[in-house]
Amino acid sequence: MMDPEVSVLLHCAAWGGLLQSQVQVELSERFNRQTDAALERHIKEVWTERVSKEPWLFNGAKFRLHSFCLAYPFFSVSPKHPLCIISPKFACSDCTADRDGKLHSRKGEEENSHNTDPVTVPVQEAVGNGFQQNSPVKLNQLENGVTQQTPRTLAQASTTSNCSSSEGITPDPSSGSDESTDDGRASPVLTLYLGLTCYKDFLGTNWSYQAVELRKRGEAEFSDPLALLAQPLGVGAILCTGDGQVVLIRRSQRVAEAGGLLDIPGGHPEPKVACEGLGQNVCEEQINMAVLQQRPEAVVSEIFSSVCSEIRDEVNVPLSSLGEPVLMGVALNHTSAGRPSAEFYISCSLSSDEVRQLYWKGGAEAHESTDIVYLSRTEILQLDTHSSLWTELCPSAKGAVLLYQTMMADREKDKSRSSDSNDTITENGSR
């Protein structure tokens, strides 16, 4: 399904979705955006004009997604460096569905790989041969639309890597690399390389009328079309109620983006909250990389917990009713120059009627939406660009739906392969 407004950068189907323990971050000023005096003047001008019209705007710090590394058999990507595949022996999760269509994962078999060293593959070779399941694809390549089985990259704002999820998602926390940390936990599957940015920089780059030109400059000057862009990392959730309904909210006409359209609950992980988790009560201007680098796991915790906080504030659902967030992948919003958003699946123990009642009581951010809408899981899976409802979805919701559908497609393929295998066993008269 092709939609120029959105594409999938990374999906996690091979692992049944990723839990917090399977994700890590590397923080460095090297992952901040590039800049110069002229761009800083432009950003300041855009911000001054915007604040004069909307004096309530607040310039909060955000995390900047620079690139990522996904464990073999998939790929790692950096816009400015050769492609590298991490290839330790790998245990992935497989998935089975119950009669209600909810996904449950089971540990798969380890990959029989004896090479534990990174393997460098020329980008031209990877691109020229096309992407296959175990082949890497560079982050800054292929930019238009979504190819379900084609992972791509940040600097190209577009594609699909691999995490699994589906109507109901229960990943196997033991899946991932068979290498372990000192305390016996499995090594993380996904590494996010993060810098720092802010809302002001987003408005002056990704959301600016100069965004196209900034991408051209980034490519020409840094071999990375995203080098000059803020690229703040957002979060969003496919929130599924206890009776199988997916929650959508209609955005208020007063919000800055996509007013009147249907969206999923979401927002941004906040560096300030991560600092507070480290016992550092700093103002936005005092947030710096040195503080965050003290405990990168606090940043991972903020990424996963922030999506639950957004659900609480926007839908008024208590945190105690929410299941553990499962990362489905990362989608890119091309209406804001390829801004990335981590999309999660989260189950809710409350029924749709209970959630509706809480929503209308109003949460901390009730002013951001005007209505709550439900779609069944089947309806979500049937959405496509030809559906009348598709045009009512804002880009962030479209990205989450695409990831959800990708997870389900992967699960159905697994079921089909399992069925074919069982048929062969039966024909051979052996197990």
Side-chain angles (χ1 to χ4, degrees):
M1 177 166 51
M2 304 289 285
D3 187 312
E5 291 188 344
V6 67
S7 63
V8 174
L9 170 67
L10 157 73
H11 76 79
C12 311
W15 297 275
L18 298 183
L19 298 174
Q20 181 175 324
S21 61
Q22 295 171 294
V23 178
Q24 65 181 1
V25 298
E26 182 177 326
L27 300 148
S28 173
E29 292 181 354
R30 294 182 293 113
F31 305 138
N32 293 352
R33 68 177 178 85
Q34 302 292 329
T35 192
D36 57 27
L39 178 54
E40 291 307 305
R41 284 195 299 271
H42 172 71
I43 291 173
K44 184 177 180 179
E45 290 169 0
V46 170
W47 179 251
T48 301
E49 180 182 0
R50 189 69 177 267
V51 172
S52 69
K53 298 176 181 178
E54 304 170 64
W56 57 84
L57 287 181
F58 173 69
N59 183 29
K62 308 297 178 188
F63 293 107
R64 180 180 190 268
L65 181 59
H66 172 274
S67 50
F68 69 90
C69 177
L70 191 59
Y72 181 84
F74 299 99
F75 61 98
S76 70
V77 207
S78 173
K80 299 174 65 176
H81 300 287
L83 199 57
C84 176
I85 312 170
I86 308 303
S87 56
K89 286 193 291 183
F90 174 78
C92 70
S93 64
D94 198 356
C95 302
T96 57
D98 61 22
R99 63 194 306 168
D100 295 322
K102 293 186 177 181
L103 199 69
H104 302 276
S105 59
R106 54 185 171 78
K107 188 172 181 181
E109 296 182 358
E110 294 181 352
E111 284 285 323
N112 294 319
S113 170
H114 300 291
N115 180 13
T116 58
D117 298 322
V119 179
T120 301
V121 178
V123 172
Q124 296 84 349
E125 178 182 330
V127 177
N129 293 336
F131 175 74
Q132 302 299 325
Q133 176 128 6
N134 294 330
S135 301
V137 177
K138 188 183 178 185
L139 258 158
N140 43 4
Q141 176 188 317
L142 303 177
E143 193 156 28
N144 299 316
V146 175
T147 303
Q148 287 281 10
Q149 298 302 324
T150 307
R152 306 173 195 175
T153 70
L154 280 181
Q156 268 297 87
S158 75
T159 25
T160 32
S161 156
N162 257 333
C163 285
S164 165
S165 71
S166 108
E167 295 180 322
I169 302 173
T170 309
D172 182 353
S174 65
S175 65
S177 169
D178 64 350
E179 295 180 357
S180 299
T181 58
D182 292 340
D183 59 4
R185 293 179 293 107
S187 296
V189 169
L190 175 65
T191 302
L192 302 175
Y193 299 99
L194 303 177
L196 285 174
T197 187
C198 63
Y199 185 57
K200 179 177 76 173
D201 288 0
F202 165 72
L203 290 180
T205 59
N206 288 71
W207 201 240
S208 167
Y209 66 88
Q210 290 190 7
V212 173
E213 180 60 30
L214 290 174
R215 288 178 62 91
K216 292 179 180 177
R217 279 188 54 198
E219 181 64 54
E221 297 174 20
F222 303 99
S223 299
D224 175 7
L226 304 183
L228 297 168
L229 303 183
Q231 291 300 95
L233 177 65
V235 293
I238 292 288
L239 175 63
C240 191
T241 64
D243 52 350
Q245 299 295 303
V246 175
V247 176
L248 298 174
I249 51 178
R250 191 170 295 281
R251 293 174 64 83
S252 168
Q253 293 288 359
R254 297 185 60 186
V255 296
E257 298 179 50
L261 297 180
L262 290 173
D263 200 1
I264 55 173
H268 296 83
E270 304 291 347
K272 188 175 189 299
V273 175
C275 289
E276 290 170 351
L278 295 171
Q280 302 284 336
N281 293 318
V282 298
C283 64
E284 295 287 343
E285 294 74 17
Q286 293 175 317
I287 294 170
N288 62 74
M289 196 62 73
V291 173
L292 294 168
Q293 286 172 330
Q294 294 175 17
R295 271 185 54 207
E297 60 270 21
V299 174
V300 178
S301 177
E302 167 59 9
I303 292 172
F304 275 73
S305 63
S306 64
V307 70
C308 295
S309 298
E310 295 292 348
I311 292 172
R312 176 198 61 200
D313 295 343
E314 294 181 5
V315 190
N316 200 30
V317 169
L319 296 178
S320 59
S321 70
L322 301 178
E324 186 172 6
V326 180
L327 178 63
M328 298 189 296
V330 176
L332 300 169
N333 180 347
H334 298 295
T335 67
S336 51
R339 176 179 51 175
S341 181
E343 308 296 356
F344 295 82
Y345 176 90
I346 299 180
S347 62
C348 178
S349 61
L350 303 177
S351 70
S352 54
D353 284 342
E354 290 171 320
V355 171
R356 180 182 286 107
Q357 291 172 15
L358 289 169
Y359 171 82
W360 286 115
K361 288 181 179 179
E365 298 178 0
H367 63 282
E368 294 185 0
S369 66
T370 60
D371 196 8
I372 186 169
V373 176
Y374 292 110
L375 292 179
S376 69
R377 290 191 292 244
T378 299
E379 288 172 320
I380 289 288
L381 293 173
Q382 291 174 344
L383 281 176
D384 60 29
T385 54
H386 302 294
S387 306
S388 59
L389 189 60
W390 186 260
T391 60
E392 290 193 59
L393 299 179
C394 65
S396 55
K398 290 178 179 178
V401 168
L402 287 174
L403 280 164
Y404 187 70
Q405 292 175 339
T406 300
M407 302 308 127
M408 284 304 296
D410 187 85
R411 190 204 71 173
E412 291 302 316
K413 288 181 181 179
D414 285 346
K415 287 172 62 178
S416 178
R417 283 193 293 265
S418 177
S419 177
D420 290 344
S421 176
N422 290 337
D423 290 342
T424 301
I425 290 173
T426 301
E427 290 173 5
N428 292 338
S430 61
R431 291 183 61 84

